[in-house]
Amino acid sequence: HLQLRCFRMLYLSLFSEYMFFQSFLQSFYSQKFFFFVFSSRDFYAMITESAFDRNEVSFMNIRHKRKEKEESVSTARELFQWVAAIVAAVLIALAIDNFVIVNAQIPSGSMENTIMTGDRVIGNRFAYSFSDPQRFDIIIFRYPDDERQLFIKRIIGLPGETVEIRDGKIYLNGSDEPLEDVQTKETMVGSFGPYTVPENSYFVMGDNRNDSKDSRYWTNTFVTKDEILGKAIFRYWPISEFKILE
């Protein structure tokens, strides 16, 4: 009986140790698997997150480069629009100045007191496109003795008329009655003529009759219609002296 009891005790002891060892192994492997599973999941998450970060950075770089490119294109387009606007404005101004108006500055006092030295006036190039110049019109024209220069005077004699100045008064076609003249700076003195105005030509004088280099003194006495650039319409400078010219 004693041997049987000892054997049973040994058996129970070995069995208990076996069960403990089995339990330990199960616990170890389950924890190791658990650790592996979760470690693998974290590693995957880390890789995924890293890849996502790289993709996000790459995407942000692409967006930044695209934005820079768009800004560069926008700046170039804006610059081109400004240049185009300036060029268009210059071309329009040149076209208007050469085909629509005459922009002239008065260099002398020959038209005082109607127009003063240094004044700026605008002439209409189309004024005589469908009609002929009239007496007392103020015209801007190429100087007959030197067409590089522009002059501004008032028309006195029309084509086919005879103009004579006696004692400062103007007579047309041998009339005994002097021409009712425009208001001048001062009473004209002297006698000139007679001048017979050719067809398609005009006899002109400045309003400052005693200090005007005009048809009375030129080698080529008359202004042809082809030499007339336009009819003076108004004075625009100085601004405070703006007025319609008559």
Side-chain angles (χ1 to χ4, degrees), residues 89-100:
V90 171
L91 292 177
I92 291 172
L94 290 174
I96 291 174
D97 193 46
N98 285 279
F99 301 104
V100 180

Side-chain angles (χ1 to χ4, degrees), residues 162-174:
T162 299
V163 180
E164 185 177 4
I165 302 170
R166 300 194 300 264
D167 298 327
K169 296 186 184 297
I170 302 171
Y171 297 88
L172 298 177
N173 301 321

Side-chain angles (χ1 to χ4, degrees), residues 11-195:
Y11 173 78
L12 290 173
S13 176
L14 291 174
F15 181 76
S16 298
E17 290 180 3
Y18 170 76
M19 293 300 295
F20 173 78
F21 182 72
Q22 187 74 16
S23 175
F24 171 78
L25 288 178
Q26 290 178 356
S27 174
F28 173 77
Y29 282 112
S30 75
Q31 289 181 5
K32 186 176 181 181
F33 178 76
F34 179 82
F35 173 78
F36 173 77
V37 170
F38 280 91
S39 296
S40 300
R41 185 182 302 170
D42 292 342
F43 180 71
Y44 175 76
M46 181 180 66
I47 294 176
T48 305
E49 184 177 358
S50 177
F52 177 78
D53 290 342
R54 288 197 302 271
N55 291 335
E56 185 176 6
V57 170
S58 178
F59 179 71
M60 290 178 64
N61 288 335
I62 293 173
R63 288 180 57 188
H64 181 68
K65 290 181 179 179
R66 183 179 298 172
K67 185 177 180 181
E68 287 183 344
K69 184 176 180 180
E70 290 176 352
E71 289 178 352
S72 177
V73 171
S74 178
T75 302
R77 184 184 297 114
E78 185 175 357
L79 180 61
F80 174 78
Q81 290 174 347
W82 274 105
V83 171
I86 293 172
V87 171
V90 171
L91 292 177
I92 291 172
L94 290 174
I96 291 174
D97 193 46
N98 285 279
F99 301 104
V100 180
I101 67 171
V102 185
N103 184 7
Q105 183 176 11
I106 310 306
S108 70
S110 67
M111 284 296 292
E112 294 180 359
N113 288 329
T114 306
I115 309 172
M116 308 302 290
T117 303
D119 287 357
R120 288 186 173 273
V121 301
I122 292 294
N124 178 11
R125 291 181 180 269
F126 295 117
Y128 304 124
S129 297
F130 305 103
S131 62
D132 293 326
Q134 302 298 309
R135 195 185 324 278
F136 300 133
D137 283 356
I138 299 175
I139 59 172
I140 302 170
F141 57 93
R142 299 189 185 281
Y143 175 37
D145 289 346
D146 183 1
E147 292 194 356
R148 293 172 299 177
Q149 301 182 53
L150 298 186
F151 274 30
I152 181 168
K153 305 291 181 184
R154 191 183 294 274
I155 293 176
I156 300 298
L158 301 176
E161 294 182 336
T162 299
V163 180
E164 185 177 4
I165 302 170
R166 300 194 300 264
D167 298 327
K169 296 186 184 297
I170 302 171
Y171 297 88
L172 298 177
N173 301 321
S175 174
D176 293 330
E177 294 293 326
L179 176 68
E180 187 177 346
D181 202 1
V182 297
Q183 184 177 358
T184 59
K185 183 176 182 179
E186 55 191 11
T187 302
M188 181 171 52
V189 296
S191 298
F192 305 88
Y195 308 94

